[in-house]
């Protein structure tokens, strides 16, 4: 008769020959971080929008580039030449280089929240010199140069009064206020995202949270920028002299905006790939 000790020995020998299969590791379940993701998404949406605005319509360099490649430069030149014609100054005195310099002055002053104050002394001095060359043959050399100082003051006054309309003043004030607000948003959201990124890394849910945040940012910011780009030309329809310029500005705004949003999309895709394949690699170790 088989004893209990022999039965136990036989059972242990059988277990050694045919060990029980190891239990499959439990699948990694991603915990939800709704509160974290909600505020992170708000921060990222505002951060990307402020970045786009600072790179486009709130940037004097961007606007100057657009102005130099539009009919606005010609319009401003015509206004200045119109002021010169009142004093019998030939319009050829104003060169393209002068126009570029005056445009730089005007745009930078508007973006600084100031009234436009163009300095046309170089042009009027050139006009006085041209007049002297014509009058020298009559023995009246120096008359043009002597009159150029008074002419400069009068022309400056006329041109600047034409440019400093209530609409331009409201635009300058609005741009200055927008720059202050957008820069504050950029700084606050940038710091907030940096803090959230550190917390997500230590909490081991960076890829999960920031991929979710990136998806919503691409959708929301893409829709907003597309809407603004399509709406802007319609708002300028009652200003025929600037309709083409606004349409050009809107097109380049959307190009810059979608480039920035595209970078967010690329990072989001990388994080999604890491969530899929990186987790599998970690589970095999």
């Amino acid at each position: 008769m088989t004893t209990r000790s022999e039965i136990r020995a036989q059972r242990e020998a059988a277990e050694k020959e045919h060990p029980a299969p190891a239990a499959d590791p439990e699948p990694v379940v991603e915990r939800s971080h709704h509160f974290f993701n909600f505020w992170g998404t708000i921060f990222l949406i505002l951060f990307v929008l402020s970045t786009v605005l600072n790179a486009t319509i709130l940037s004097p360099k961007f606007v100057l580039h657009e102005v130099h490649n539009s009919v606005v430069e010609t319009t401003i030149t015509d206004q200045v030449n119109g002021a010169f014609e009142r004093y019998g100054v030939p319009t050829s005195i104003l060169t393209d280089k002068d126009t570029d310099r005056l445009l730089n002055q005007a745009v930078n002053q508007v973006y600084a929240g100031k009234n436009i104050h163009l300095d046309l002394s170089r042009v009027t001095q050139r006009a006085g010199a041209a007049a002297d060359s014509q009058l020298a043959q009559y023995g009246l050399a120096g008359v043009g140069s002597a009159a150029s100082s008074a002419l400069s003051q009068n022309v400056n006054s006329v041109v600047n009064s034409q440019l400093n309309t209530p609409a331009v003043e409201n635009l300058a004030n609005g741009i200055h206020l927008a720059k202050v607000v957008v820069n504050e948003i950029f700084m606050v959201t940038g710091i907030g995202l940096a803090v959230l990124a550190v917390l997500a890394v230590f909490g081991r849910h960076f890829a999960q949270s920031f991929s979710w945040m990136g998806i919503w940012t691409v959708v929301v910011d893409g829709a907003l920028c597309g809407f603004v780009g399509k709406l802007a030309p319609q708002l300028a329809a009652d200003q025929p002299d600037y309709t083409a310029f606004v349409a050009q500005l809107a097109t380049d705004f959307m190009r810059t905006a979608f480039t920035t949003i595209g970078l967010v999309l690329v990072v989001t895709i990388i994080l999604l790939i890491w969530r899929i394949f990186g987790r599998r690699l970690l589970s095999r170790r």
Side-chain angles (χ1 to χ4, degrees), residues 43-56:
F43 284 173
L44 188 56
I45 288 173
L46 294 177
F47 181 80
V48 173
L49 281 178
S50 61
T51 301
V52 171
L53 291 175
N54 279 328
T56 54

PDB file of all heavy atoms in Angstrom, residues 43-56:
ATOM      1  N   PHE A  43      -4.008  75.198 -21.577  1.00  0.00           N
ATOM      2  CA  PHE A  43      -2.705  75.865 -21.629  1.00  0.00           C
ATOM      3  C   PHE A  43      -2.066  75.717 -23.010  1.00  0.00           C
ATOM      4  O   PHE A  43      -1.533  76.677 -23.566  1.00  0.00           O
ATOM      5  CB  PHE A  43      -1.766  75.296 -20.562  1.00  0.00           C
ATOM      6  CG  PHE A  43      -2.061  75.758 -19.168  1.00  0.00           C
ATOM      7  CD1 PHE A  43      -1.390  75.221 -18.093  1.00  0.00           C
ATOM      8  CD2 PHE A  43      -3.010  76.734 -18.929  1.00  0.00           C
ATOM      9  CE1 PHE A  43      -1.656  75.651 -16.795  1.00  0.00           C
ATOM     10  CE2 PHE A  43      -3.295  77.165 -17.647  1.00  0.00           C
ATOM     11  CZ  PHE A  43      -2.613  76.621 -16.579  1.00  0.00           C
ATOM     12  N   LEU A  44      -2.098  74.507 -23.561  1.00  0.00           N
ATOM     13  CA  LEU A  44      -1.439  74.261 -24.841  1.00  0.00           C
ATOM     14  C   LEU A  44      -2.148  74.987 -25.978  1.00  0.00           C
ATOM     15  O   LEU A  44      -1.489  75.538 -26.876  1.00  0.00           O
ATOM     16  CB  LEU A  44      -1.386  72.758 -25.129  1.00  0.00           C
ATOM     17  CG  LEU A  44      -0.555  72.332 -26.351  1.00  0.00           C
ATOM     18  CD1 LEU A  44       0.877  72.838 -26.237  1.00  0.00           C
ATOM     19  CD2 LEU A  44      -0.572  70.816 -26.508  1.00  0.00           C
ATOM     20  N   ILE A  45      -3.477  75.013 -25.953  1.00  0.00           N
ATOM     21  CA  ILE A  45      -4.230  75.736 -26.986  1.00  0.00           C
ATOM     22  C   ILE A  45      -3.863  77.218 -26.973  1.00  0.00           C
ATOM     23  O   ILE A  45      -3.570  77.818 -28.013  1.00  0.00           O
ATOM     24  CB  ILE A  45      -5.742  75.560 -26.778  1.00  0.00           C
ATOM     25  CG1 ILE A  45      -6.162  74.132 -27.141  1.00  0.00           C
ATOM     26  CG2 ILE A  45      -6.526  76.560 -27.626  1.00  0.00           C
ATOM     27  CD1 ILE A  45      -7.609  73.820 -26.817  1.00  0.00           C
ATOM     28  N   LEU A  46      -3.857  77.828 -25.786  1.00  0.00           N
ATOM     29  CA  LEU A  46      -3.542  79.249 -25.673  1.00  0.00           C
ATOM     30  C   LEU A  46      -2.071  79.523 -25.990  1.00  0.00           C
ATOM     31  O   LEU A  46      -1.745  80.555 -26.593  1.00  0.00           O
ATOM     32  CB  LEU A  46      -3.871  79.745 -24.270  1.00  0.00           C
ATOM     33  CG  LEU A  46      -5.354  79.732 -23.895  1.00  0.00           C
ATOM     34  CD1 LEU A  46      -5.547  80.181 -22.452  1.00  0.00           C
ATOM     35  CD2 LEU A  46      -6.154  80.624 -24.838  1.00  0.00           C
ATOM     36  N   PHE A  47      -1.186  78.606 -25.602  1.00  0.00           N
ATOM     37  CA  PHE A  47       0.240  78.792 -25.880  1.00  0.00           C
ATOM     38  C   PHE A  47       0.495  78.786 -27.383  1.00  0.00           C
ATOM     39  O   PHE A  47       1.243  79.640 -27.895  1.00  0.00           O
ATOM     40  CB  PHE A  47       1.045  77.688 -25.205  1.00  0.00           C
ATOM     41  CG  PHE A  47       2.529  77.796 -25.417  1.00  0.00           C
ATOM     42  CD1 PHE A  47       3.290  78.682 -24.667  1.00  0.00           C
ATOM     43  CD2 PHE A  47       3.169  77.015 -26.363  1.00  0.00           C
ATOM     44  CE1 PHE A  47       4.662  78.784 -24.861  1.00  0.00           C
ATOM     45  CE2 PHE A  47       4.536  77.115 -26.572  1.00  0.00           C
ATOM     46  CZ  PHE A  47       5.283  78.003 -25.813  1.00  0.00           C
ATOM     47  N   VAL A  48      -0.099  77.855 -28.101  1.00  0.00           N
ATOM     48  CA  VAL A  48       0.100  77.794 -29.555  1.00  0.00           C
ATOM     49  C   VAL A  48      -0.510  79.003 -30.232  1.00  0.00           C
ATOM     50  O   VAL A  48       0.084  79.599 -31.145  1.00  0.00           O
ATOM     51  CB  VAL A  48      -0.496  76.484 -30.113  1.00  0.00           C
ATOM     52  CG1 VAL A  48      -0.455  76.477 -31.637  1.00  0.00           C
ATOM     53  CG2 VAL A  48       0.277  75.276 -29.577  1.00  0.00           C
ATOM     54  N   LEU A  49      -1.705  79.426 -29.797  1.00  0.00           N
ATOM     55  CA  LEU A  49      -2.334  80.610 -30.386  1.00  0.00           C
ATOM     56  C   LEU A  49      -1.486  81.861 -30.162  1.00  0.00           C
ATOM     57  O   LEU A  49      -1.307  82.667 -31.083  1.00  0.00           O
ATOM     58  CB  LEU A  49      -3.722  80.814 -29.780  1.00  0.00           C
ATOM     59  CG  LEU A  49      -4.855  79.944 -30.324  1.00  0.00           C
ATOM     60  CD1 LEU A  49      -6.155  80.246 -29.581  1.00  0.00           C
ATOM     61  CD2 LEU A  49      -5.040  80.158 -31.821  1.00  0.00           C
ATOM     62  N   SER A  50      -0.975  82.037 -28.951  1.00  0.00           N
ATOM     63  CA  SER A  50      -0.143  83.210 -28.686  1.00  0.00           C
ATOM     64  C   SER A  50       1.146  83.167 -29.504  1.00  0.00           C
ATOM     65  O   SER A  50       1.630  84.210 -29.962  1.00  0.00           O
ATOM     66  CB  SER A  50       0.175  83.300 -27.192  1.00  0.00           C
ATOM     67  OG  SER A  50       0.901  82.155 -26.749  1.00  0.00           O
ATOM     68  N   THR A  51       1.688  81.977 -29.708  1.00  0.00           N
ATOM     69  CA  THR A  51       2.885  81.845 -30.545  1.00  0.00           C
ATOM     70  C   THR A  51       2.592  82.258 -31.984  1.00  0.00           C
ATOM     71  O   THR A  51       3.380  82.978 -32.615  1.00  0.00           O
ATOM     72  CB  THR A  51       3.388  80.392 -30.517  1.00  0.00           C
ATOM     73  OG1 THR A  51       3.696  80.013 -29.170  1.00  0.00           O
ATOM     74  CG2 THR A  51       4.642  80.238 -31.369  1.00  0.00           C
ATOM     75  N   VAL A  52       1.458  81.823 -32.509  1.00  0.00           N
ATOM     76  CA  VAL A  52       1.071  82.170 -33.879  1.00  0.00           C
ATOM     77  C   VAL A  52       0.851  83.674 -34.008  1.00  0.00           C
ATOM     78  O   VAL A  52       1.321  84.307 -34.968  1.00  0.00           O
ATOM     79  CB  VAL A  52      -0.194  81.396 -34.285  1.00  0.00           C
ATOM     80  CG1 VAL A  52      -0.739  81.907 -35.619  1.00  0.00           C
ATOM     81  CG2 VAL A  52       0.097  79.907 -34.380  1.00  0.00           C
ATOM     82  N   LEU A  53       0.147  84.268 -33.067  1.00  0.00           N
ATOM     83  CA  LEU A  53      -0.136  85.705 -33.129  1.00  0.00           C
ATOM     84  C   LEU A  53       1.147  86.529 -33.036  1.00  0.00           C
ATOM     85  O   LEU A  53       1.309  87.521 -33.760  1.00  0.00           O
ATOM     86  CB  LEU A  53      -1.101  86.089 -32.014  1.00  0.00           C
ATOM     87  CG  LEU A  53      -2.526  85.560 -32.144  1.00  0.00           C
ATOM     88  CD1 LEU A  53      -3.342  85.904 -30.908  1.00  0.00           C
ATOM     89  CD2 LEU A  53      -3.200  86.116 -33.399  1.00  0.00           C
ATOM     90  N   ASN A  54       2.060  86.136 -32.143  1.00  0.00           N
ATOM     91  CA  ASN A  54       3.319  86.872 -32.012  1.00  0.00           C
ATOM     92  C   ASN A  54       4.188  86.748 -33.255  1.00  0.00           C
ATOM     93  O   ASN A  54       5.025  87.622 -33.513  1.00  0.00           O
ATOM     94  CB  ASN A  54       4.101  86.376 -30.794  1.00  0.00           C
ATOM     95  CG  ASN A  54       3.603  86.977 -29.503  1.00  0.00           C
ATOM     96  OD1 ASN A  54       3.140  88.113 -29.475  1.00  0.00           O
ATOM     97  ND2 ASN A  54       3.685  86.221 -28.422  1.00  0.00           N
ATOM     98  N   ALA A  55       4.000  85.674 -34.007  1.00  0.00           N
ATOM     99  CA  ALA A  55       4.801  85.469 -35.218  1.00  0.00           C
ATOM    100  C   ALA A  55       4.162  86.084 -36.456  1.00  0.00           C
ATOM    101  O   ALA A  55       4.813  86.165 -37.506  1.00  0.00           O
ATOM    102  CB  ALA A  55       5.030  83.978 -35.453  1.00  0.00           C
ATOM    103  N   THR A  56       2.925  86.531 -36.344  1.00  0.00           N
ATOM    104  CA  THR A  56       2.217  87.039 -37.532  1.00  0.00           C
ATOM    105  C   THR A  56       1.721  88.466 -37.319  1.00  0.00           C
ATOM    106  O   THR A  56       2.489  89.409 -37.413  1.00  0.00           O
ATOM    107  CB  THR A  56       1.046  86.108 -37.893  1.00  0.00           C
ATOM    108  OG1 THR A  56       0.198  85.925 -36.733  1.00  0.00           O
ATOM    109  CG2 THR A  56       1.554  84.746 -38.331  1.00  0.00           C
TER     110      THR A  56
END
